[in-house]
Amino acid sequence: MALYSEKVMDHFRNPRNVGVIENADAVGEVGNLKCGDIMRMYLKIDDDTITDVKFETFGCASAIASSSMATELIKGKPLSEAMELTNQAVAESLDGLPDYKMHCSVLAQEAIESAINDYYDKHPEKRKDQTDG
Ligand code: FES
């Protein structure tokens, strides 16, 4: 059995949304201390919707594939929906990751969360909107 699904290989070899957004509305960065991999997410946000997203990942194949898939999953989505994206959903969209590589999808989920929190830190009134439902 192949170690990685075809989708993982596809997103690793041909990652979507790689790069930097120069005047991003929010930036998130996370790292995994164990493997040393780092992920940075840039968001463009308009009216609480993610209109553009780019990422830079200095890490393993699964981390690159996970961030690529995660950006595809949140692009065009409202912040509230992006905030709820789980690492399991990212891994499932990639047709699975080996167990010992699940933490790579966690990195993608955390990078998005970190970027959204950066946005709410800059716009506290928006966070309030969220919690008020
Ligand atoms: Fe570190 Fe994959 S081994 S994110």
Side-chain angles (χ1 to χ4, degrees):
M1 200 190 90
L3 183 54
Y4 291 118
S5 72
E6 266 174 45
K7 269 196 191 160
V8 173
M9 291 311 293
D10 176 32
H11 278 261
F12 167 55
R13 292 203 180 104
N14 178 26
R16 316 329 186 238
N17 308 308
V18 175
V20 176
I21 297 177
E22 286 301 344
N23 46 4
D25 295 305
V27 182
E29 186 179 306
V30 290
N32 182 303
L33 287 177
K34 266 196 193 153
C35 63
D37 291 352
I38 296 171
M39 202 179 282
R40 206 175 289 151
M41 272 297 156
Y42 302 85
L43 303 179
K44 242 352 212 179
I45 296 161
D46 190 19
D47 204 15
D48 288 336
T49 296
I50 298 171
T51 54
D52 199 11
V53 47
K54 291 212 184 306
F55 78 91
E56 293 177 302
T57 290
F58 309 95
C60 72
S62 302
I64 290 166
S66 293
S67 28
S68 169
M69 180 54 84
T71 57
E72 288 286 276
L73 290 172
I74 64 166
K75 206 174 194 175
K77 295 280 165 60
L79 287 176
S80 52
E81 213 174 297
M83 197 62 158
E84 279 168 17
L85 180 73
T86 62
N87 77 294
Q88 285 91 347
V90 174
E92 273 167 30
S93 302
L94 289 167
D95 292 337
L97 285 170
D99 275 354
Y100 74 103
K101 284 286 179 185
M102 279 306 280
H103 79 270
C104 316
S105 62
V106 173
L107 208 57
Q109 183 264 320
E110 287 179 347
I112 289 168
E113 198 179 306
S114 160
I116 295 175
N117 279 326
D118 178 48
Y119 182 71
Y120 285 145
D121 286 348
K122 288 174 182 154
H123 306 275
E125 74 287 355
K126 301 272 185 189
R127 194 193 288 271
K128 192 169 168 294
D129 288 355
Q130 292 290 323
T131 49
D132 286 355

CSV table of all heavy atoms in Angstrom, one decimal, residues 97-126:
chain,number,residue,atom,x,y,z
A,97,LEU,N,-4.2,10.6,6.0
A,97,LEU,CA,-2.8,10.8,6.2
A,97,LEU,C,-2.4,9.6,7.1
A,97,LEU,O,-3.2,9.1,7.9
A,97,LEU,CB,-2.4,12.1,6.9
A,97,LEU,CG,-2.5,13.4,6.1
A,97,LEU,CD1,-2.4,14.6,7.1
A,97,LEU,CD2,-1.4,13.4,5.1
A,98,PRO,N,-1.1,9.1,7.0
A,98,PRO,CA,-0.7,8.1,7.9
A,98,PRO,C,-0.8,8.6,9.4
A,98,PRO,O,-0.6,9.8,9.6
A,98,PRO,CB,0.8,7.9,7.6
A,98,PRO,CG,1.0,8.5,6.2
A,98,PRO,CD,-0.1,9.6,6.1
A,99,ASP,N,-1.1,7.8,10.3
A,99,ASP,CA,-1.3,8.2,11.7
A,99,ASP,C,-0.2,9.1,12.2
A,99,ASP,O,-0.5,10.1,12.8
A,99,ASP,CB,-1.4,6.9,12.6
A,99,ASP,CG,-2.8,6.4,12.7
A,99,ASP,OD1,-3.7,7.0,12.1
A,99,ASP,OD2,-3.0,5.3,13.2
A,100,TYR,N,1.0,8.7,12.0
A,100,TYR,CA,2.1,9.5,12.5
A,100,TYR,C,2.4,10.8,11.8
A,100,TYR,O,3.3,11.5,12.1
A,100,TYR,CB,3.4,8.6,12.5
A,100,TYR,CG,4.0,8.4,11.2
A,100,TYR,CD1,5.2,9.1,10.8
A,100,TYR,CD2,3.5,7.5,10.3
A,100,TYR,CE1,5.7,8.9,9.5
A,100,TYR,CE2,4.1,7.3,9.0
A,100,TYR,CZ,5.2,8.0,8.7
A,100,TYR,OH,5.7,7.8,7.4
A,101,LYS,N,1.5,11.0,10.8
A,101,LYS,CA,1.6,12.3,10.0
A,101,LYS,C,0.4,13.2,10.3
A,101,LYS,O,0.3,14.3,9.7
A,101,LYS,CB,1.7,12.0,8.5
A,101,LYS,CG,3.1,11.6,8.1
A,101,LYS,CD,4.1,12.7,8.1
A,101,LYS,CE,5.5,12.3,7.8
A,101,LYS,NZ,6.4,13.5,7.9
A,102,MET,N,-0.5,12.8,11.2
A,102,MET,CA,-1.7,13.6,11.5
A,102,MET,C,-1.3,14.9,12.0
A,102,MET,O,-2.0,15.9,11.8
A,102,MET,CB,-2.6,12.8,12.4
A,102,MET,CG,-3.5,11.8,11.8
A,102,MET,SD,-4.5,12.4,10.4
A,102,MET,CE,-5.8,13.2,11.2
A,103,HIS,N,-0.2,15.0,12.8
A,103,HIS,CA,0.2,16.3,13.4
A,103,HIS,C,0.5,17.3,12.3
A,103,HIS,O,0.4,18.5,12.6
A,103,HIS,CB,1.4,16.1,14.4
A,103,HIS,CG,2.7,16.0,13.7
A,103,HIS,ND1,3.2,14.8,13.3
A,103,HIS,CD2,3.6,17.0,13.3
A,103,HIS,CE1,4.4,15.1,12.7
A,103,HIS,NE2,4.6,16.4,12.7
A,104,CYS,N,0.8,16.9,11.1
A,104,CYS,CA,1.1,17.9,10.1
A,104,CYS,C,-0.2,18.6,9.7
A,104,CYS,O,-0.2,19.8,9.3
A,104,CYS,CB,1.7,17.1,8.9
A,104,CYS,SG,2.9,15.9,9.3
A,105,SER,N,-1.4,17.9,9.7
A,105,SER,CA,-2.6,18.5,9.4
A,105,SER,C,-3.0,19.4,10.5
A,105,SER,O,-3.7,20.5,10.3
A,105,SER,CB,-3.7,17.5,9.1
A,105,SER,OG,-4.0,16.7,10.2
A,106,VAL,N,-2.6,19.1,11.8
A,106,VAL,CA,-2.9,20.0,12.9
A,106,VAL,C,-2.2,21.3,12.7
A,106,VAL,O,-2.8,22.4,13.0
A,106,VAL,CB,-2.4,19.3,14.2
A,106,VAL,CG1,-2.5,20.3,15.4
A,106,VAL,CG2,-3.2,18.1,14.5
A,107,LEU,N,-1.0,21.3,12.2
A,107,LEU,CA,-0.3,22.5,11.9
A,107,LEU,C,-1.1,23.4,11.0
A,107,LEU,O,-1.1,24.6,11.2
A,107,LEU,CB,1.1,22.2,11.3
A,107,LEU,CG,2.3,23.1,11.6
A,107,LEU,CD1,2.5,23.3,13.0
A,107,LEU,CD2,3.5,22.6,10.9
A,108,ALA,N,-1.7,22.9,10.0
A,108,ALA,CA,-2.4,23.7,9.0
A,108,ALA,C,-3.7,24.3,9.7
A,108,ALA,O,-4.0,25.5,9.5
A,108,ALA,CB,-2.9,22.8,7.8
A,109,GLN,N,-4.3,23.5,10.5
A,109,GLN,CA,-5.5,24.0,11.2
A,109,GLN,C,-5.1,25.1,12.2
A,109,GLN,O,-5.8,26.1,12.3
A,109,GLN,CB,-6.2,22.8,12.0
A,109,GLN,CG,-7.4,23.1,12.7
A,109,GLN,CD,-7.2,23.4,14.2
A,109,GLN,OE1,-6.3,22.7,14.8
A,109,GLN,NE2,-7.8,24.4,14.7
A,110,GLU,N,-4.0,24.9,12.9
A,110,GLU,CA,-3.5,25.9,13.8
A,110,GLU,C,-3.1,27.2,13.1
A,110,GLU,O,-3.2,28.3,13.7
A,110,GLU,CB,-2.4,25.4,14.7
A,110,GLU,CG,-2.9,24.3,15.7
A,110,GLU,CD,-1.7,23.8,16.5
A,110,GLU,OE1,-0.6,23.9,16.1
A,110,GLU,OE2,-2.0,23.1,17.5
A,111,ALA,N,-2.5,27.1,12.0
A,111,ALA,CA,-2.0,28.3,11.2
A,111,ALA,C,-3.2,29.1,10.8
A,111,ALA,O,-3.2,30.4,10.9
A,111,ALA,CB,-1.2,27.9,10.0
A,112,ILE,N,-4.3,28.5,10.4
A,112,ILE,CA,-5.5,29.2,10.1
A,112,ILE,C,-6.1,29.9,11.3
A,112,ILE,O,-6.5,31.1,11.3
A,112,ILE,CB,-6.5,28.3,9.4
A,112,ILE,CG1,-6.0,27.9,8.0
A,112,ILE,CG2,-7.9,28.9,9.3
A,112,ILE,CD1,-6.8,26.7,7.4
A,113,GLU,N,-6.2,29.1,12.4
A,113,GLU,CA,-6.7,29.7,13.6
A,113,GLU,C,-5.9,30.9,14.1
A,113,GLU,O,-6.5,31.9,14.5
A,113,GLU,CB,-6.7,28.6,14.7
A,113,GLU,CG,-7.6,28.8,15.9
A,113,GLU,CD,-7.5,27.6,16.8
A,113,GLU,OE1,-7.7,26.5,16.4
A,113,GLU,OE2,-7.1,27.9,18.0
A,114,SER,N,-4.6,30.7,14.0
A,114,SER,CA,-3.7,31.8,14.4
A,114,SER,C,-3.9,33.1,13.6
A,114,SER,O,-3.9,34.2,14.1
A,114,SER,CB,-2.3,31.3,14.3
A,114,SER,OG,-1.4,32.4,14.2
A,115,ALA,N,-4.1,32.9,12.2
A,115,ALA,CA,-4.4,34.0,11.4
A,115,ALA,C,-5.7,34.7,11.7
A,115,ALA,O,-5.8,35.9,11.7
A,115,ALA,CB,-4.3,33.6,9.9
A,116,ILE,N,-6.7,33.9,11.9
A,116,ILE,CA,-8.0,34.5,12.2
A,116,ILE,C,-8.0,35.2,13.6
A,116,ILE,O,-8.5,36.3,13.7
A,116,ILE,CB,-9.1,33.4,12.2
A,116,ILE,CG1,-9.3,32.8,10.8
A,116,ILE,CG2,-10.5,33.9,12.7
A,116,ILE,CD1,-10.2,31.6,10.7
A,117,ASN,N,-7.3,34.6,14.5
A,117,ASN,CA,-7.1,35.3,15.8
A,117,ASN,C,-6.4,36.6,15.6
A,117,ASN,O,-6.7,37.6,16.3
A,117,ASN,CB,-6.4,34.4,16.8
A,117,ASN,CG,-7.4,33.4,17.4
A,117,ASN,OD1,-8.6,33.8,17.6
A,117,ASN,ND2,-6.9,32.2,17.7
A,118,ASP,N,-5.4,36.7,14.7
A,118,ASP,CA,-4.7,37.9,14.5
A,118,ASP,C,-5.7,38.9,13.9
A,118,ASP,O,-5.6,40.1,14.3
A,118,ASP,CB,-3.6,37.6,13.4
A,118,ASP,CG,-2.8,38.9,13.0
A,118,ASP,OD1,-2.4,39.6,13.9
A,118,ASP,OD2,-2.6,39.1,11.8
A,119,TYR,N,-6.6,38.5,13.1
A,119,TYR,CA,-7.6,39.4,12.5
A,119,TYR,C,-8.5,40.0,13.7
A,119,TYR,O,-8.7,41.2,13.8
A,119,TYR,CB,-8.4,38.7,11.5
A,119,TYR,CG,-9.5,39.6,10.8
A,119,TYR,CD1,-9.1,40.6,10.0
A,119,TYR,CD2,-10.8,39.4,11.1
A,119,TYR,CE1,-10.0,41.4,9.4
A,119,TYR,CE2,-11.8,40.3,10.5
A,119,TYR,CZ,-11.4,41.3,9.7
A,119,TYR,OH,-12.3,42.1,9.1
A,120,TYR,N,-8.9,39.1,14.5
A,120,TYR,CA,-9.8,39.5,15.6
A,120,TYR,C,-9.1,40.4,16.6
A,120,TYR,O,-9.6,41.3,17.3
A,120,TYR,CB,-10.4,38.3,16.4
A,120,TYR,CG,-11.5,37.6,15.6
A,120,TYR,CD1,-11.6,36.2,15.6
A,120,TYR,CD2,-12.4,38.3,14.8
A,120,TYR,CE1,-12.6,35.6,14.9
A,120,TYR,CE2,-13.4,37.7,14.1
A,120,TYR,CZ,-13.5,36.3,14.1
A,120,TYR,OH,-14.5,35.7,13.4
A,121,ASP,N,-7.7,40.1,16.8
A,121,ASP,CA,-7.0,41.0,17.7
A,121,ASP,C,-6.9,42.4,17.1
A,121,ASP,O,-7.0,43.4,17.9
A,121,ASP,CB,-5.5,40.5,17.8
A,121,ASP,CG,-5.5,39.3,18.7
A,121,ASP,OD1,-6.5,39.0,19.4
A,121,ASP,OD2,-4.4,38.6,18.7
A,122,LYS,N,-6.9,42.5,15.8
A,122,LYS,CA,-6.8,43.8,15.1
A,122,LYS,C,-8.2,44.5,15.1
A,122,LYS,O,-8.3,45.7,15.0
A,122,LYS,CB,-6.3,43.7,13.7
A,122,LYS,CG,-4.8,43.4,13.7
A,122,LYS,CD,-4.3,43.2,12.2
A,122,LYS,CE,-2.9,42.8,12.2
A,122,LYS,NZ,-2.6,42.0,11.0
A,123,HIS,N,-9.2,43.7,15.1
A,123,HIS,CA,-10.6,44.1,15.0
A,123,HIS,C,-11.5,43.5,16.1
A,123,HIS,O,-12.3,42.6,15.8
A,123,HIS,CB,-11.2,43.8,13.6
A,123,HIS,CG,-10.4,44.3,12.5
A,123,HIS,ND1,-10.5,45.6,12.0
A,123,HIS,CD2,-9.5,43.7,11.7
A,123,HIS,CE1,-9.7,45.7,11.0
A,123,HIS,NE2,-9.0,44.6,10.8
A,124,PRO,N,-11.2,43.9,17.3
A,124,PRO,CA,-11.9,43.3,18.5
A,124,PRO,C,-13.4,43.3,18.3
A,124,PRO,O,-14.1,42.4,18.8
A,124,PRO,CB,-11.5,44.1,19.7
A,124,PRO,CG,-10.3,44.9,19.2
A,124,PRO,CD,-10.4,45.0,17.7
A,125,GLU,N,-14.0,44.3,17.7
A,125,GLU,CA,-15.4,44.5,17.6
A,125,GLU,C,-16.0,43.3,16.7
A,125,GLU,O,-17.1,42.9,16.9
A,125,GLU,CB,-15.8,45.8,17.0
A,125,GLU,CG,-15.5,46.0,15.5
A,125,GLU,CD,-14.1,46.2,15.1
A,125,GLU,OE1,-13.2,46.2,16.0
A,125,GLU,OE2,-13.7,46.3,13.9
A,126,LYS,N,-15.2,42.8,15.8
A,126,LYS,CA,-15.6,41.6,15.0
A,126,LYS,C,-15.7,40.4,15.8
A,126,LYS,O,-16.6,39.6,15.6
A,126,LYS,CB,-14.6,41.4,13.9
A,126,LYS,CG,-14.4,42.5,13.0
A,126,LYS,CD,-15.4,42.5,11.8
A,126,LYS,CE,-15.1,43.6,10.9
A,126,LYS,NZ,-16.2,43.8,9.9
